[in-house]
Amino acid sequence: MAGIIGMLIFISAIFISKGIVYFISDPVIWLQQIVLKAVLILLSLLIIKYGLKISYTDAGFGKSIVKLKRSRVIFSGMALGALATVLIFFTPAKGVPLVKQLNALEFLLIVVIWSSLAEEIFIRGVIQSYLKPFEHQKIKIINAQLSVPVITCALVFAAMHVSLLFAEVDYYTVAFTVVTTFLLGLLAGVYREKSNSITPAVITHMSFNIGGIIAGIIIAISYKIITGELPPH
């Protein structure tokens, strides 16, 4: 049920943002993403206060109650981001067209910072807080015992990225994105649960995006040195 509600909220945010952008003449290509994430943050804050009726601290906006290794939080996210880029490069996947059209500053502000913050406030702030009473219920995945809130939020987070299909992104890219964001969702969810704060989740999410772009740069440079040409995608 929480997953369905989460997706309905996300879809609502998409339609609201499209409606806002519709009334803007000649909008830049990335404007809807900025508006979408702004709407998502606003809806999340309203749901926390008036829907869940909990404090923002209880929703993860406070300091971490457990000190996590910052290097682990950062590098685990970067490793997953690098994996996503490698999968896209060495397969028929073509990547996300919108991301390719962003310059370095736009990528940093829109993808790394703004999108990561908005999605974590929504997923780990709203949905995982709503599911907190079920933290004691565990499901074994490989050798890890993960809680129902962590797994549910990871599924919703991955499902959100299926919307890339409507942005004319190829199936390979969408599939790899869904898989890697599910893994990222598990990681961010565990950090949120252990620390009782969304801060580590936001950091590992940002690191995921940074790791992806760093891996892309390394692959592009290597490809150029070996072949004398830039990668085809």
Side-chain angles (χ1 to χ4, degrees):
M1 180 61 72
I4 295 174
I5 293 173
M7 289 306 300
L8 288 175
I9 294 171
F10 180 66
I11 293 170
S12 298
I14 291 176
F15 279 106
I16 292 171
S17 63
K18 282 182 176 292
I20 294 173
V21 173
Y22 177 80
F23 292 100
I24 300 175
S25 60
D26 196 26
V28 291
I29 191 168
W30 41 257
L31 181 60
Q32 187 180 335
Q33 281 302 308
I34 293 179
V35 176
L36 169 60
K37 299 308 162 57
V39 171
L40 197 59
I41 290 175
L42 179 60
L43 288 178
S44 297
L45 295 178
L46 291 173
I47 291 169
I48 290 170
K49 185 174 180 62
Y50 299 106
L52 302 182
K53 295 182 180 180
I54 60 175
S55 69
Y56 290 116
T57 299
D58 289 337
F61 287 77
K63 293 182 179 180
S64 300
I65 60 173
V66 175
K67 190 173 182 180
L68 301 173
K69 287 187 178 181
R70 187 175 300 177
S71 59
R72 178 181 296 177
V73 173
I74 293 172
F75 288 114
S76 58
M78 290 183 69
L80 279 176
L83 173 63
T85 296
V86 169
L87 287 173
I88 289 173
F89 182 81
F90 290 104
T91 66
K94 299 178 181 178
V96 181
L98 173 61
V99 173
K100 293 180 180 180
Q101 296 179 51
L102 301 177
N103 60 41
L105 180 59
E106 290 170 343
F107 181 85
L108 175 64
L109 295 177
I110 299 171
V111 178
V112 175
I113 298 176
W114 189 235
S115 291
S116 299
L117 181 63
E119 290 172 6
E120 291 307 321
I121 288 175
F122 174 55
I123 298 293
R124 254 59 68 173
V126 175
I127 300 179
Q128 195 158 342
S129 295
Y130 173 72
L131 293 172
K132 189 176 178 62
F134 303 97
E135 279 185 359
H136 65 283
Q137 297 183 16
K138 305 289 184 179
I139 297 175
K140 187 175 183 179
I141 297 182
I142 307 178
N143 292 322
Q145 291 285 344
L146 301 175
S147 71
V148 168
V150 168
I151 296 173
T152 301
C153 288
L155 288 170
V156 174
F157 182 55
M160 284 170 55
H161 292 81
V162 175
S163 63
L164 289 172
L165 288 172
F166 300 101
E168 299 181 355
V169 178
D170 65 279
Y171 292 112
Y172 284 100
T173 298
V174 174
F176 292 142
T177 300
V178 168
V179 171
T180 52
T181 51
F182 173 71
L183 296 176
L184 174 62
L186 293 178
L187 193 63
V190 169
Y191 290 151
R192 161 73 170 95
E193 190 170 86
K194 286 183 176 180
S195 66
N196 201 35
S197 171
I198 65 171
T199 300
V202 171
I203 292 173
T204 200
H205 192 152
M206 290 182 177
S207 300
F208 175 90
N209 291 323
I210 293 172
I213 197 66
I214 290 176
I217 292 171
I218 292 173
I219 291 173
I221 292 174
S222 301
Y223 190 91
K224 176 70 174 179
I225 292 173
I226 295 172
T227 66
E229 300 177 353
L230 290 174
H233 58 275

